[in-house]
Amino acid sequence: MELESKIPPGPVERKWQYAKSHYKLVNPENKRKYDIIVVGAGLAGASAAASLGELGYNVKCFVFHDSPRRAHSIAAQGGINAAKNYQNDGDSIYRLFYDTVKGGDYRAREGNVYRLAELSVNIIDQAVAQGVPLAREYGGLLENRSFGGVQVARTFYARGQTGQQLLLGAFQALERQIDRGRVTMFPRFEMLDLVVVDGQARGIITRNMVTGAIEPHPADAVVIGSGGYANVFYLSTNPRTRRRPTGPRSGARTGVERTSPIPASRRFTRPASPRRATISRS
Ligand SMILES: Cc1cc2nc3c(=O)[nH]c(=O)nc-3n(C[C@H](O)[C@H](O)[C@H](O)COP(=O)(O)OP(=O)(O)OC[C@H]3O[C@@H](n4cnc5c(N)ncnc54)[C@H](O)[C@@H]3O)c2cc1C
């Protein structure tokens, strides 16, 4: 199997700028003719669904959680790094790019990391516009701290709750589009497979986690914002909303049998919640 990440050609600092300037555009009047599926409503999925809805596309957003606010993004604490150089300590987009590639043990895709560093500047403005209460200095300017062992102070944060506050901002933007009818939510739907037609993603197969029904959902494009692959790790802060069997665990996503290194007597198993049985989609 070939993994083709389709990073645009050219020098690293111009790859995405070039691609953005040369992509085919969709006329504003035609956007409502396209159905887009977004899988996930964490920071990635909720922002994508809200932005696509705002642009005028018909968006369907699928999450296996009972609410977008259950997404794991709520766990993020430290803050967001952005190369705004507010502290005038020599920061730049290139330095953030370099630090991020280094922090990723030189394994990240450099073209995409450069894009992340470029967009970091806009993300802060977007979060502030959404009302995210990022920390401020006494005079009212946005506060920065130095985080992650870097030589500059470029981290924007909201106490120890950055992810929670960002998710509230993204969730409100998503709620607005749901209210406008641009985004339809499908909570408690788990994506099982991607439908690919002639090399293009054309829909997904889901399991309704309340009824168990397996259903196809066609679309013109699919955006996957389903978070990291944390469930491959035995010990993870990522919650699964389904009850897992005790004893040797089967990796539901990987198909790989996993055996717990912790004796059964010391393992925490979540008691069955009476509330869960009553949750409906309405
Ligand atoms: C403790 C902790 C601290 C962190 N601190 C920071 C920090 O300080 N700064 C920072 O930048 N990053 C931090 N991170 C990382 C950051 O939180 C994550 O990278 C980011 O929140 C991931 O967002 P996401 O939207 O991609 O995924 P998630 O928030 O995990 O959302 C995934 C979504 O996909 C849905 N989903 C998943 N699979 C399926 C499926 N099969 N079918 C349907 N829906 C599905 C889920 O329901 C959920 O809505 C931290 C992470 C942790 C765990």
Side-chain angles (χ1 to χ4, degrees):
M1 180 184 179
E2 189 188 346
L3 285 178
E4 169 54 88
S5 58
K6 301 201 172 151
I7 299 173
V12 73
E13 68 279 7
R14 291 214 297 273
K15 283 177 185 291
W16 283 104
Q17 294 296 359
Y18 176 87
K20 268 189 70 179
S21 311
H22 291 79
Y23 278 146
K24 278 171 77 177
L25 295 176
V26 179
N27 183 289
E29 293 306 314
N30 289 335
K31 285 181 176 149
R32 62 199 152 94
K33 297 179 188 164
Y34 290 94
D35 294 333
I36 301 184
I37 284 178
V38 176
V39 181
L43 282 176
S47 313
S51 302
L52 290 165
E54 179 87 44
L55 283 170
Y57 294 102
N58 301 313
V59 182
K60 293 181 194 165
C61 185
F62 292 82
V63 290
F64 65 49
H65 288 116
D66 52 2
S67 157
R69 287 182 56 190
R70 296 269 182 212
H72 197 233
S73 293
I74 211 154
Q77 297 182 332
I80 323 166
N81 281 342
K84 277 190 172 283
N85 195 23
Y86 279 174
Q87 305 303 319
N88 195 23
D89 52 6
D91 199 9
S92 66
I93 287 172
Y94 183 83
R95 279 190 197 277
L96 175 54
F97 157 72
Y98 184 91
D99 288 344
T100 308
V101 171
K102 191 175 171 185
D105 289 339
Y106 303 95
R107 289 179 163 203
R109 293 181 175 134
E110 294 185 4
N112 294 351
V113 174
Y114 198 91
R115 182 85 183 126
L116 173 144
E118 278 177 336
L119 286 180
S120 68
V121 178
N122 308 35
I123 293 286
I124 302 303
D125 297 341
Q126 178 184 329
V128 170
Q130 283 176 342
V132 175
L134 294 171
R136 289 178 183 270
E137 292 168 356
Y138 187 70
L141 300 175
L142 288 169
E143 168 87 288
N144 292 128
R145 61 184 173 194
S146 182
F147 196 64
V150 297
Q151 307 298 313
V152 293
R154 62 158 82 98
T155 305
F156 295 78
Y157 62 100
R159 296 179 71 179
Q161 322 171 341
T162 312
Q164 182 178 352
Q165 299 300 339
L166 287 171
L167 195 60
L168 288 172
F171 178 62
Q172 285 175 57
L174 179 62
E175 286 277 276
R176 183 164 169 264
Q177 298 307 320
I178 295 170
D179 188 51
R180 289 179 65 213
R182 305 293 343 151
V183 177
T184 308
M185 283 304 298
F186 290 79
R188 308 233 69 197
F189 275 71
E190 182 177 27
M191 171 185 162
L192 299 178
D193 213 340
L194 184 67
V195 178
V196 180
V197 179
D198 296 333
Q200 309 272 330
R202 291 292 188 213
I204 61 171
I205 308 293
T206 62
R207 173 172 33 217
N208 182 325
M209 295 174 75
V210 177
T211 66
I214 310 279
E215 300 162 2
H217 296 271
D220 296 297
V222 178
V223 177
I224 297 188
S226 59
Y229 203 20
N231 284 310
V232 293
F233 301 106
Y234 170 65
L235 288 175
S236 158
T237 51
N238 258 15
R240 301 295 303 267
T241 47
R242 289 173 296 180
R243 288 188 66 207
R244 289 172 141 183
T246 53
R249 297 174 178 210
S250 61
R253 283 181 168 186
T254 58
V256 176
E257 288 293 320
R258 285 179 287 174
T259 311
S260 167
I262 302 174
S265 56
R266 288 182 49 215
R267 244 177 264 150
F268 173 76
T269 47
R270 193 188 288 259
S273 158
R275 199 178 133 254
R276 250 180 224 162
T278 62
I279 290 174
S280 74
R281 285 198 55 224
S282 54

